[in-house]
Amino acid sequence: MKKLFGCFLVICSLLNVVNAQVSTAIIGGDVAQLGGISAKQQSAYSAINNPALMPLLAHWQSGVYSEQRFGLKELTLSNISVVMPTKSVHIGAAINYFGFSNYNQQRFVLSAAKKLSESFSLGVQLNYQLTNIVDYGSAGAWVAGAGFMYKPTHQLTVSGFVFNPTQQKLSLAVADKIPSLFRLGLAYQVNDKVDVLAEGEQQLEQKINVRAGLRYQVHPRVGLGIGFNSNPVAVHFGTSIKFNQVMIDAAAGVHQVLGVIPQVGIRFPFKK
Amino acid sequence: MKRVGLMILGFLWLVQSQAQTPRERDEKVIADLLERLIENTEATVDYTDLQDQLEQYNKSKLNINTVSREQLQRLFFLDDAQINAIINHRQKFGNFLTLYELQTIPALDEQTIYYLTYFVTVDEDWQQDQTRFLQMLRKGKHELIGLYDTELEKRAGYDATLKDQGKSYYMGNKERYVFRYRFNYGSRLAFGYNAETDMGERFTWNSSTKGFDFNSIHFYYRPRKGIVKTIALGDYQINFGQGLTFGSGLAARKSAFVLNVRRSYLPIRPYRSLNETEFMRGAAVMLGDKKWQVVLFGSRKYISTNYNAQDTSAPQDFFSSIDLSGLHRTPTELAKSNNVLQTIVGANAQWRFKDGYVGLTHVQTNYDIAFLSGTSLYQRYNFSGTQLGNSGVDYKYQWRNMSFFGEFSISSNQAKAFTTGVAISLDPNLDVLLLYRNFAKDYQTTYNNPFSENTDGRNEKGFYTGASLRLSRKWLLNSYVDIYSSPWLRFQVDGPSRGVDVLGELQYLPSKTAQVYFRVRHEYKTKNQAGSTEKVDYLSEQSRTVFRFNAQYKMSLNVTLKSRVETTLFSDDVSTQKTGTLIFQDVNWSAPRKQFGLIFRVAYFTVEDYNARVYAAENDVLYQYSVPMYQNSGMRYYAVMRCKITRKIELWAKWSQTVYSNVNTISSGLEQINGNTVSDVRLQLRWIL
């Protein structure tokens, strides 16, 4: 029991040190290489990161993603996401799993987005957040999220996302908080190959996290990305490679003290 | 037709600067660039060396129709996209007919073109110049400069009774003298003599001091043909590769020129600065051809150290620190002067191929007395001994829109260091530079100046990213992020440490006569907590954020205004946030015929703590640069006057005064002034023969 509780405390303190709540972690190897800037994410993971971005996808897409923080298998986060465009709206779904058998968090997401004009779309999200701790039990809560995307010019994209604005909590005695946050991002398309991105994320009771990144499509099949986080300070970089229609994303985040976070993902488009 | 039209517009655009003489314009552009280069610097050092580099490039104008990418990289205000655009334009349209044609290149903004015209030419450049040595002696220009500098208030060290009391005192008077003689024929032939006596130093002639306290002679010659490319005698500067294995003199550090971290220098330069330590003394020669280049140099000079004679506690004579200040004002400082012989010999070979080069360097340093490092824990990996060797390999390679560069070095204790990077021109409007460096904690050198956070070029790992984005012809966004760490202890850092330095600058050029920029620089690093009463020092996270708004407006041909508001916020783990604020207004006026000019500044400052201090570069007399630190509260004023007495004689005068409102004594020890005011007067005369 002591060992278990100790393990739990280590996980909590590590998450605290890196200020990275897994329940709101940015998902997807395509944006992990940019330091987690989801301002213009054009992949299935937008279902969980910001549903208003789903209309950027013209076809069905699914994605599988996993990251292992600082090489510790107990800090592994996995995700599966899918986005389905329909005639009137885009529908998305995603599942997150973080942790190990004795301590884990799960997040189930259902999203919908509507393109209201050529330059503006809105998205909403319903989440079920579940935490399991052996000998402490399980607790879950329904959490809402909503986002927008606006393209004032062809080159510029502005997007925002709010998560848990009602400050829902879990009923567990420990780890009862579900973070509430607001994220506002900006993407500037320098040319067909290059995007410059920036994003600010404010969680309640935390310091703001400012992200900046750059994506370079060095070849039609190969993209490179680099990004920075201010809180915690970290450098991220990675690549996306296209094989036929399948996109493979590989990235790494380097924390100044704790080490490396390897991040990988695969995206499968389904064209009609 | 479009090309011709733009040339005419370009001609009209340049007309406004024709009111000045070429020499005055050259000096102004060099001063402008230097100010921009050092304005982000937070230290008061002699910048004459940087100024000299710019002057060298100005005198040896490059032919834009034959200039190489490597040569253009030396002009630090050009980014890779602009260099590519110049070379692509030349390949596409053929040779430039006139410099006005630069305006047809979209990647070049007005300010860059303006600067560029002072460093390139469409005429034959110095490399085609066939003038013989004796002709050069006849055609070249001689210049004599004398500077007198004094403070109006008396510092404690000048008290005549101190000597009788057996206390430390300043042996000289409170006046500083500088004498310069220079001869130049373009950049092919230069020789001269520079001398300085600092305030408090004696201007005397005896066995230890010969007139001035510091004397420097240089001779620099580039033959017109043959295998010998450059000869330097006397005092000179040497820079190889990325400055990791060996590099003397100042090198640009992090600045608003966010892409200017790649080293690209002439290997040998004449030394004309007044810094008394950072130079070589002896001879250097560069041999070469189109495909290869070899530099050989030897230096032998006395350096000032804390020399300790052999006694019961030390089995041999030794020294444990080198005095870099160059000040010899007190008997103690004078006793430390020029007491250890330093000999350095080195060679660099470079093989050039189509898109790059590879270079090899070896440098050997020898002291006639052993250097024994201190025993503090942070000094554990410092050099000790009489001989030190450094070897390195450096490279540059251009592949498509990417320019790779780097250097790997090893010191004689087998410690390694490397730095490598790539500059990528992602778009005509976007340049990015990535640089990674990793210097072992026990890497040792005598002179090096690689890009790094710390000045010693060792015990550091870091990753730098700089980006410059031209949003339009009028808007420019510059930024960098530098994340670094030191695996071993440093002075006043009793543990492995880390830090982050971020800069963002948005520049707006609403017209040819106005420039506005807003800059934020945030730095956080771990250092010993100041004022700690604990028995063991501990590290705390210290953060410093600087906000700057700067506006410059040329009201007319004769009047330019410059305004700045700057605020620094400092905080650490313990104390409350400290603030420092500086507001200043400059007025720069030149008489219509440019015979006379005046620059005024009024500055108000209020700084709560040393850690929230503010720096601001100042105008000064020619060849002098100052970046004073603002601390406490008060006002600072200065006026610089330039007067052309005859066609060949010019006079400069500067008066500056700082009046503090919250202190009654300034500085401490021998530098203390009893009062709240410090005033300085400088007079400089130049005679062009």
Coordinates of all heavy atoms in Angstrom, one line a residue, chain A residues 96-141:
Chain A
N96 N -8.7 8.9 -24.4 CA -7.4 9.0 -23.8 C -7.2 8.0 -22.7 O -8.1 7.7 -22.0 CB -7.2 10.4 -23.2 CG -6.6 11.4 -24.1 OD1 -6.4 11.1 -25.2 ND2 -6.2 12.5 -23.5
Y97 N -6.0 7.4 -22.6 CA -5.7 6.6 -21.5 C -4.3 7.0 -21.0 O -3.3 7.0 -21.7 CB -5.7 5.1 -21.9 CG -5.4 4.2 -20.7 CD1 -6.4 3.7 -19.8 CD2 -4.1 3.8 -20.4 CE1 -6.1 2.9 -18.7 CE2 -3.8 3.0 -19.3 CZ -4.8 2.6 -18.5 OH -4.5 1.8 -17.4
F98 N -4.2 7.3 -19.7 CA -2.9 7.6 -19.1 C -2.7 6.8 -17.8 O -3.6 6.7 -17.0 CB -2.9 9.1 -18.8 CG -1.7 9.5 -17.9 CD1 -0.5 9.7 -18.5 CD2 -1.8 9.6 -16.6 CE1 0.6 10.1 -17.8 CE2 -0.7 10.0 -15.8 CZ 0.5 10.2 -16.4
G99 N -1.5 6.4 -17.6 CA -1.2 5.7 -16.4 C -0.9 4.3 -16.5 O -0.5 3.8 -17.6
F100 N -1.2 3.5 -15.4 CA -0.9 2.1 -15.4 C -2.0 1.4 -14.6 O -3.0 2.1 -14.1 CB 0.5 1.8 -14.9 CG 0.8 2.3 -13.5 CD1 0.8 1.5 -12.4 CD2 0.9 3.7 -13.3 CE1 1.1 1.9 -11.1 CE2 1.2 4.2 -12.0 CZ 1.3 3.3 -10.9
S101 N -1.9 0.2 -14.3 CA -3.0 -0.5 -13.7 C -3.5 0.0 -12.4 O -4.7 0.1 -12.1 CB -2.7 -2.0 -13.6 OG -1.5 -2.2 -12.8
N102 N -2.6 0.4 -11.6 CA -2.9 0.9 -10.2 C -3.4 2.4 -10.2 O -4.0 2.8 -9.2 CB -1.8 0.7 -9.3 CG -1.5 -0.7 -9.0 OD1 -2.4 -1.6 -9.1 ND2 -0.3 -1.1 -8.5
Y103 N -3.0 3.1 -11.2 CA -3.4 4.5 -11.2 C -3.6 4.9 -12.7 O -2.6 4.8 -13.5 CB -2.4 5.5 -10.6 CG -2.7 6.9 -10.8 CD1 -3.6 7.6 -9.9 CD2 -2.3 7.6 -12.0 CE1 -3.9 8.9 -10.2 CE2 -2.6 8.9 -12.2 CZ -3.4 9.6 -11.3 OH -3.8 10.9 -11.5
N104 N -4.8 5.3 -13.1 CA -5.0 5.7 -14.5 C -6.1 6.7 -14.6 O -6.9 6.8 -13.7 CB -5.2 4.5 -15.4 CG -6.4 3.7 -14.9 OD1 -7.5 4.2 -15.0 ND2 -6.2 2.5 -14.4
Q105 N -5.9 7.5 -15.7 CA -7.0 8.5 -16.0 C -7.5 8.2 -17.4 O -6.7 7.8 -18.3 CB -6.4 9.9 -16.0 CG -6.0 10.4 -14.6 CD -5.5 11.8 -14.7 OE1 -5.8 12.6 -15.6 NE2 -4.7 12.2 -13.7
Q106 N -8.7 8.3 -17.6 CA -9.3 8.1 -18.9 C -10.2 9.3 -19.3 O -10.8 9.9 -18.4 CB -10.2 6.8 -18.9 CG -9.3 5.6 -18.9 CD -10.0 4.4 -18.2 OE1 -11.1 4.1 -18.6 NE2 -9.5 3.9 -17.1
R107 N -10.2 9.6 -20.6 CA -11.1 10.7 -21.0 C -11.8 10.2 -22.3 O -11.1 9.8 -23.2 CB -10.2 11.9 -21.3 CG -11.0 13.1 -21.8 CD -10.0 14.3 -22.0 NE -10.6 15.4 -22.7 CZ -10.0 16.4 -23.2 NH1 -8.6 16.5 -23.1 NH2 -10.6 17.4 -23.9
F108 N -13.1 10.3 -22.3 CA -13.9 9.9 -23.4 C -14.5 11.2 -24.0 O -15.1 12.0 -23.3 CB -15.0 9.0 -23.0 CG -14.5 7.7 -22.3 CD1 -14.3 7.7 -20.9 CD2 -14.1 6.6 -23.0 CE1 -13.8 6.6 -20.3 CE2 -13.5 5.5 -22.4 CZ -13.4 5.5 -21.0
V109 N -14.3 11.4 -25.3 CA -14.7 12.7 -25.9 C -15.6 12.5 -27.1 O -15.4 11.6 -27.9 CB -13.4 13.4 -26.4 CG1 -13.8 14.8 -27.0 CG2 -12.4 13.5 -25.3
L110 N -16.6 13.3 -27.1 CA -17.5 13.4 -28.3 C -17.6 14.8 -28.7 O -17.9 15.7 -27.9 CB -18.9 12.9 -27.8 CG -19.8 12.4 -29.0 CD1 -19.2 11.2 -29.8 CD2 -21.2 11.9 -28.4
S111 N -17.3 15.1 -30.0 CA -17.3 16.5 -30.4 C -18.1 16.7 -31.7 O -18.4 15.8 -32.5 CB -15.8 16.8 -30.8 OG -15.0 16.6 -29.8
A112 N -18.5 18.0 -31.9 CA -19.2 18.3 -33.1 C -18.8 19.8 -33.5 O -18.5 20.6 -32.6 CB -20.7 18.3 -32.8
A113 N -18.7 20.0 -34.8 CA -18.3 21.3 -35.2 C -19.2 21.7 -36.4 O -19.6 20.9 -37.2 CB -16.9 21.3 -35.6
K114 N -19.4 23.0 -36.6 CA -20.2 23.5 -37.7 C -19.4 24.7 -38.3 O -18.9 25.6 -37.6 CB -21.5 24.1 -37.1 CG -22.4 24.8 -38.1 CD -23.1 23.8 -39.0 CE -24.1 24.5 -39.9 NZ -24.6 23.6 -41.0
K115 N -19.3 24.6 -39.6 CA -18.7 25.7 -40.3 C -19.7 26.7 -40.7 O -20.6 26.5 -41.5 CB -18.1 25.1 -41.6 CG -17.1 26.0 -42.3 CD -16.4 25.2 -43.5 CE -15.4 26.1 -44.2 NZ -14.7 25.4 -45.2
L116 N -19.7 27.9 -40.0 CA -20.7 28.9 -40.1 C -20.5 29.8 -41.3 O -21.5 30.3 -41.9 CB -20.8 29.7 -38.9 CG -21.2 28.9 -37.6 CD1 -21.1 29.8 -36.4 CD2 -22.6 28.3 -37.7
S117 N -19.3 29.9 -41.7 CA -19.0 30.6 -43.0 C -17.6 30.1 -43.5 O -17.0 29.3 -42.8 CB -18.9 32.2 -42.7 OG -17.7 32.4 -42.0
E118 N -17.2 30.7 -44.6 CA -15.9 30.2 -45.1 C -14.7 30.5 -44.2 O -13.7 29.8 -44.2 CB -15.6 30.9 -46.5 CG -16.3 30.3 -47.7 CD -16.0 28.8 -47.8 OE1 -14.8 28.4 -47.8 OE2 -17.0 28.0 -47.8
S119 N -14.9 31.4 -43.3 CA -13.8 31.8 -42.5 C -14.1 31.6 -41.0 O -13.2 31.9 -40.1 CB -13.5 33.3 -42.7 OG -14.6 34.1 -42.4
F120 N -15.2 31.1 -40.6 CA -15.5 30.9 -39.2 C -16.2 29.6 -38.9 O -17.1 29.2 -39.6 CB -16.4 32.1 -38.8 CG -16.6 32.2 -37.3 CD1 -15.6 32.6 -36.4 CD2 -17.9 31.8 -36.7 CE1 -15.8 32.7 -35.1 CE2 -18.1 31.9 -35.3 CZ -17.0 32.3 -34.5
S121 N -15.8 29.0 -37.8 CA -16.4 27.7 -37.4 C -16.5 27.6 -35.9 O -15.6 28.2 -35.2 CB -15.8 26.5 -38.0 OG -14.4 26.4 -37.6
L122 N -17.4 26.9 -35.4 CA -17.6 26.7 -33.9 C -17.6 25.2 -33.6 O -18.1 24.4 -34.5 CB -18.9 27.3 -33.4 CG -19.0 28.8 -33.2 CD1 -20.4 29.2 -32.9 CD2 -18.0 29.3 -32.2
G123 N -17.1 24.9 -32.5 CA -17.2 23.4 -32.1 C -17.5 23.3 -30.6 O -17.2 24.2 -29.8
V124 N -18.2 22.2 -30.3 CA -18.5 21.9 -28.9 C -18.0 20.5 -28.6 O -17.8 19.6 -29.5 CB -20.0 22.0 -28.6 CG1 -20.4 23.5 -28.7 CG2 -20.8 21.1 -29.5
Q125 N -17.8 20.2 -27.3 CA -17.2 19.0 -26.9 C -17.9 18.5 -25.6 O -18.1 19.3 -24.7 CB -15.7 19.2 -26.7 CG -14.9 18.0 -26.5 CD -13.4 18.5 -26.3 OE1 -13.1 19.0 -25.2 NE2 -12.6 18.3 -27.3
L126 N -18.1 17.2 -25.5 CA -18.6 16.7 -24.2 C -17.6 15.6 -23.8 O -17.3 14.7 -24.6 CB -20.0 16.0 -24.4 CG -20.6 15.5 -23.1 CD1 -20.9 16.7 -22.2 CD2 -22.0 14.8 -23.5
N127 N -17.1 15.7 -22.6 CA -16.1 14.8 -22.1 C -16.6 14.0 -20.9 O -17.3 14.6 -20.0 CB -14.9 15.6 -21.6 CG -14.2 16.4 -22.7 OD1 -13.3 16.0 -23.3 ND2 -14.8 17.6 -23.0
Y128 N -16.2 12.8 -20.8 CA -16.3 12.1 -19.5 C -15.0 11.8 -19.0 O -14.2 11.1 -19.6 CB -17.2 10.8 -19.6 CG -17.5 10.2 -18.3 CD1 -18.3 10.8 -17.4 CD2 -16.8 9.0 -17.9 CE1 -18.6 10.3 -16.1 CE2 -17.1 8.5 -16.7 CZ -17.9 9.1 -15.8 OH -18.2 8.6 -14.5
Q129 N -14.7 12.3 -17.8 CA -13.3 12.2 -17.2 C -13.4 11.2 -16.1 O -14.2 11.3 -15.2 CB -13.0 13.6 -16.6 CG -11.6 13.8 -16.2 CD -10.7 14.2 -17.4 OE1 -11.1 14.9 -18.3 NE2 -9.5 13.7 -17.4
L130 N -12.5 10.2 -16.2 CA -12.6 9.1 -15.2 C -11.2 8.9 -14.6 O -10.2 8.8 -15.3 CB -13.0 7.8 -15.9 CG -13.3 6.6 -15.0 CD1 -14.4 6.8 -14.1 CD2 -13.5 5.4 -15.9
T131 N -11.1 8.8 -13.3 CA -9.8 8.5 -12.6 C -10.0 7.2 -11.8 O -10.9 7.1 -11.0 CB -9.4 9.7 -11.8 OG1 -9.2 10.8 -12.6 CG2 -8.1 9.4 -11.0
N132 N -9.0 6.3 -11.9 CA -9.0 5.1 -11.1 C -7.8 5.0 -10.2 O -6.7 5.1 -10.8 CB -9.0 3.8 -12.0 CG -10.3 3.8 -12.8 OD1 -11.4 3.8 -12.3 ND2 -10.1 3.7 -14.1
I133 N -7.9 4.8 -8.9 CA -6.8 4.6 -8.0 C -7.1 3.4 -7.2 O -8.1 3.3 -6.5 CB -6.5 5.8 -7.1 CG1 -6.4 7.1 -7.9 CG2 -5.3 5.6 -6.3 CD1 -6.3 8.3 -7.1
V134 N -6.2 2.4 -7.3 CA -6.5 1.1 -6.6 C -6.5 1.5 -5.1 O -5.7 2.2 -4.6 CB -5.3 0.1 -6.9 CG1 -5.4 -1.0 -5.9 CG2 -5.4 -0.3 -8.3
D135 N -7.5 0.9 -4.4 CA -7.8 1.0 -3.0 C -8.4 2.4 -2.6 O -8.8 2.6 -1.5 CB -6.5 0.8 -2.1 CG -6.0 -0.6 -2.2 OD1 -6.9 -1.5 -2.5 OD2 -4.8 -0.8 -2.0
Y136 N -8.5 3.3 -3.6 CA -9.2 4.6 -3.4 C -10.5 4.6 -4.2 O -11.4 5.4 -3.9 CB -8.3 5.8 -3.8 CG -7.4 6.2 -2.7 CD1 -6.1 5.6 -2.7 CD2 -7.7 7.1 -1.8 CE1 -5.2 5.9 -1.7 CE2 -6.8 7.4 -0.8 CZ -5.5 6.8 -0.7 OH -4.6 7.2 0.2
G137 N -10.5 3.8 -5.3 CA -11.7 3.7 -6.0 C -11.7 4.5 -7.3 O -10.6 5.0 -7.7
S138 N -12.8 4.7 -7.9 CA -12.9 5.4 -9.2 C -13.9 6.6 -9.0 O -14.8 6.5 -8.2 CB -13.5 4.5 -10.3 OG -12.7 3.4 -10.5
A139 N -13.6 7.6 -9.9 CA -14.6 8.7 -9.8 C -14.6 9.3 -11.2 O -13.6 9.3 -11.9 CB -14.1 9.8 -8.8
G140 N -15.7 9.8 -11.7 CA -15.8 10.4 -13.0 C -16.7 11.7 -12.9 O -17.4 11.9 -12.0
A141 N -16.5 12.4 -14.0 CA -17.3 13.7 -14.1 C -17.5 14.1 -15.5 O -16.7 13.7 -16.4 CB -16.6 14.8 -13.3

